[in-house]
C-alpha cells in the first residue's frame, strides 16, 4: 500500500536522527552503512558530510539501484572504509560525568588506531568545523596501515570510544582529506555547559601536586632603578609575573625573588598590576662571605684586586667540574666576587632555605625538602643573561645546598619603531595611558580622564594594552613595538579589544537582570532543565569547541616547564593566554554582532535565550579566568 507523504517524512526523520539516540534499524537489520544485503544496502543521500550538515538522511536502496553517494577516488591503492559509522544505542545510555578534555579525546582516538605516533588532530577553522571536529589525514593513515586500508573494526572502535574525559562520538566517515569525525554536539554542549566552573580551571596534573617541584622565580631586572628601567627588563618582569600566576593556578608552590626594596619600583609595579613581594631588610651575607674568603686566595695574594672585591673565581673550571657546560657562554672566564654579588646570592639562598608558607595558592613543600625538590628559573633579559650565568656557577661554588637545577628563561630584545633614543618603562606606561585618555576624549564629548569614576578604568586599559603587547609573542623572540598605533576597541589584536568584549558580556547579563526584575523575563531556570540541542548556530559550536572546552589544557600548557631537559635554557609558552583571549574575543564579537541574545519576551523563545545565555556565561567565566592569569580585572563598562 502506498505510504502518505507525511508517513515517508516520519520514516526519514527517524532514520536521519538515529545517531542522536532514536533507533531506526531492527534487531535483525544491518548496523552499518555500505555493506550490501540480500534485500539491498543502506546509503547516504542528500548532501555529504562536507556540506556542513550535522546528519545526512539514510534510505534503503533496493538491489540494482545506483548508489547516489559520490565515489571517492584515490590516486594510490590506499582505501578508507567505504561506509559511515554512526553512534546508535538500543537502550538509553546514562549521561557520563566528569570534565571532557581535548587531550583526553585525542589520546583515545590515537590509541584506537593501534600502535604508532599521533595521527588525529583537532579542527579549529570555522569552515572545517561545519563538517568535522577531528581529522586523521589520509597520508598519515597511509603510513600507519601498510595493508592499504583502514580496517573496519578500527573505525568501529573509534565510534565506540568511551573513557574519562573522552567526548562522545556521533560518526566517523571517509572524506578526501582522511577520516573525519564529528562529536555528538548536543551531548557535548550539555556536559560542558552543565559544569561551567570546571572548565575555567586547569586540567588535573599527571602527577600529584605534592610531588611537583617548588619553583623559585628569580627576576634580576627588578634590581634596576625605576628611572633606568628598560623595556627589555619590563618584558622580563611581566613574563615572570604571568608565569608565577599560571604556576600558582596549577597548584605549584612558587617563591618570587628578589623582594623589591625601592618604594618607587613598588609603586610602578602596582600601576602595572604586578604582584611581587616587597622587603626592607637584606639577607645576611656572613656565611657566604666566610666561604668566599676560604675558597679564594688569601689577602696577600689579592693586592691587585680592586677595593671591595673579595677574590676571583675561575668559572671555566666550575663549568667543567659540574658537567654543566651545555648552554653556558664560551666567553665565561673569571668572575670578581664582590659584596653585591654575595648579597644577591644570600637572598636566593635564604629563599630556598626558608620557603615562605604563603608563596603559593597551592601546596607548599615539606620543610625538610632537599635541593632536588626546588627548581630555580632565572627570568632574565637578553642583556642580563651573561651576568646571571656567572651567578649560577658562583652559587654552586659557595653553597653546597644550592639547588641542582637552575634554568634560564631568556627574554628577547624589545625594539621600538620610529622612536629615536631610549624609552624607559615608566615613559612607555605614561605614553600608553595618555593615548587611552585621548581615545576616550575623541569618542565621548567630555574629558572622561578627569572623571574619578573612569580613572581606574583608564588605568586598567593602559595596563591591558601593555601586557598584551609584551606577552603576545613568545618570550624568546624579538618584540617590535609600534608606539604610533592608536588605542581603539576596534583593533582585534589589542588588549583594549579584549577588555571591550569583557564589558559587552557584563552589559548583556546586566540587561537580562534588569529585564527580569521588570518582569519581562523569568528567573534563570536550573541548568539541568535547559535544552542545549537548540544551539545549532555555527558561532555557538565555535565558542564551545575552540574556547571553553580546551581552556583547561591551555592553562596547563602555560604552566608547563621542562625542568628535566638537558642544557641551561628553558622555554615557556607565556604567549598562549593572550593569543587565546584575543581569538575568543574575536569569535564572541562575531557571534554577538550576528545573533540577538535577549529576544522578545515571549515564552516560546525563552528556551533558546536561556541556552545561549548559559553558553555566554561559560564564555564569561573563561574570559575572566584568563584575565586573572594576566593580573587584569574584568571591566563592566568601557
Amino acid at each position: 500500500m502506498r505510504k502518505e507523504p507525511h508517513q515517508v517524512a516520519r520514516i526519514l526523520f527517524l532514520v536521519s536522527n538515529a545517531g542522536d539516540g532514536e533507533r531506526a534499524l531492527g534487531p535483525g537489520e544491518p548496523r552499518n552503512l555500505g555493506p550490501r544485503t540480500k534485500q539491498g544496502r543502506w546509503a547516504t543521500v542528500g548532501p555529504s558530510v562536507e556540506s556542513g550538515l550535522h546528519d545526512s538522511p539514510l534510505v534503503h536502496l533496493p538491489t540494482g539501484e545506483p548508489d547516489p553517494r559520490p565515489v571517492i577516488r584515490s590516486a594510490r591503492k590506499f582505501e578508507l572504509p567505504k561506509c559511515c559509522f554512526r553512534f546508535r544505542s538500543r537502550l538509553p545510555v546514562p549521561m557520563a560525568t566528569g570534565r571532557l578534555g581535548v587531550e583526553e579525546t585525542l589520546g583515545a582516538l590515537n590509541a584506537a588506531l593501534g600502535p604508532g605516533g599521533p595521527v588525529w588532530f583537532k579542527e579549529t577553522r570555522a569552515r572545517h568545523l561545519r563538517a568535522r571536529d577531528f581529522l586523521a589525514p589520509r597520508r598519515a593513515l597511509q603510513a600507519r596501515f601498510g595493508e592499504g586500508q583502514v580496517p573496519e573494526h578500527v573505525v568501529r572502535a573509534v565510534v565506540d570510544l568511551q573513557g574519562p574525559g573522552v567526548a562522545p562520538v556521533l560518526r566517523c566517515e571517509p572524506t578526501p582529506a582522511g577520516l573525519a569525525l564529528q562529536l555528538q554536539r548536543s551531548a557535548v554542549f550539555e556536559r560542558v555547559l552543565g559544569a561551567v566552573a570546571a572548565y575555567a580551571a586547569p586540567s588535573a596534573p599527571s602527577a600529584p601536586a605534592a610531588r611537583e617541584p617548588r619553583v623559585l622565580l628569580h627576576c634580576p631586572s627588578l634590581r634596576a632603578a625605576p628611572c633606568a628601567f628598560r623595556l627589555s627588563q619590563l618584558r622580563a618582569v611581566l613574563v615572570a609575573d604571568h608565569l608565577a600566576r599560571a604556576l600558582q593556578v596549577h597548584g605549584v608552590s612558587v617563591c618570587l625573588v628578589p623582594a623589591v626594596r625601592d618604594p618607587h619600583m613598588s609603586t610602578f609595579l602596582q600601576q602595572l598590576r604586578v604582584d611581587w613581594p616587597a622587603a626592607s631588610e637584606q639577607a645576611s651575607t656572613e656565611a657566604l662571605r666566610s666561604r668566599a674568603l676560604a675558597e679564594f686566595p688569601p689577602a696577600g695574594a689579592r693586592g691587585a684586586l680592586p677595593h671591595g672585591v673579595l677574590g676571583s673565581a675561575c668559572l671555566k673550571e666550575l663549568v667543567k667540574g659540574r658537567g654543566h657546560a651545555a648552554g653556558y657562554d664560551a666567553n665565561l672566564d673569571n668572575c670578581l666576587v664582590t659584596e653585591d654579588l654575595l648579597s644577591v646570592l644570600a637572598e636566593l639562598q635564604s629563599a630556598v632555605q626558608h620557603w615562605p608558607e604563603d608563596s603559593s595558592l597551592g601546596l607548599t613543600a615539606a620543610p625538610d625538602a632537599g635541593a632536588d625538590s626546588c627548581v630555580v628559573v632565572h627570568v632574565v633579559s637578553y642583556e642580563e643573561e651573561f651576568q646571571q650565568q656567572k651567578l649560577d656557577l658562583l652559587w654552586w661554588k659557595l653553597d653546597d645546598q644550592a639547588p641542582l637545577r637552575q634554568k634560564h628563561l631568556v627574554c628577547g630584545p624589545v625594539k621600538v619603531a620610529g622612536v629615536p633614543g631610549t624609552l624607559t618603562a615608566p615613559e612607555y606606561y605614561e605614553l600608553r595611558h595618555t593615548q587611552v585618555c585621548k581615545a576616550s576624549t575623541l569618542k565621548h564629548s567630555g574629558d572622561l580622564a578627569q572623571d574619578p569614576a573612569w580613572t581606574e578604568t583608564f588605568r586598567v586599559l593602559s595596563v591591558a594594552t601593555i601586557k598584551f603587547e609584551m606577552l603576545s609573542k613568545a618570550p624568546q623572540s624579538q618584540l617590535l613595538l609600534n608606539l604610533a598605533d592608536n588605542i581603539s576597541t576596534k583593533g582585534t589584536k589589542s588588549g583594549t579589544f579584549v577588555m571591550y568584549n569583557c564589558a559587552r558580556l557584563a552589559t548583556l547579563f546586566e540587561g537580562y537582570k534588569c529585564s527580569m526584575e521588570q518582569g519581562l523575563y523569568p528567573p534563570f531556570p536550573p541548568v539541568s532543565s535547559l535544552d542545549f540541542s537548540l544551539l545549532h548556530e555555527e558561532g555557538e559550536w565555535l565558542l564551545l569547541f575552540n574556547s571553553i572546552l580546551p581552556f583547561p589544557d591551555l592553562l596547563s600548557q602555560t604552566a608547563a616547564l621542562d625542568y628535566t631537559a638537558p642544557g641551561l635554557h628553558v622555554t615557556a609558552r607565556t604567549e598562549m593566554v593572550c593569543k587565546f583571549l584575543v581569538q575568543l574575543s574575536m569569535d564572541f564579537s562575531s557571534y554577538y554582532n550576528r545573533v540577538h541574545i535577549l529576544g522578545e519576551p515571549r515564552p516560546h523563545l525563552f528556551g533558546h535565550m536561556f541556552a545561549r545565555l548559559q553558553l555566554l556565561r561559560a564564555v564569561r567565566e573563561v574570559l575572566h579566568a584568563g584575565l586573572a592569569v594576566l593580573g587584569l580585572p574584568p571591566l563592566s563598562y568601557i
Side-chain angles (χ1 to χ4, degrees), residues 49 55 85 95 110 120 122 131 138 172 175 194 243 274 276 312-313 338-339 391 428 436 471 505 517 534 559 575 637:
V49 70
D55 292 293
F85 291 86
M95 179 59 64
N110 287 312
W120 292 90
K122 174 186 174 294
R138 178 175 291 272
C172 178
T175 67
L243 184 58
V274 172
W276 207 271
S312 177
T338 65
E339 294 287 353
L391 283 172
Y428 170 52
V436 167
L471 297 174
L505 277 167
E517 293 173 349
L534 298 172
E575 77 281 1
Y637 59 89

Side-chain angles (χ1 to χ4, degrees), residues 215 244 248 252-256 355-365:
V215 177
Q248 289 171 344
V252 178
S253 181
V254 180
C255 182
L256 303 177
W355 200 266
E357 294 182 358
D358 59 345
S359 61
S360 170
L361 300 179
L363 300 175
T364 54

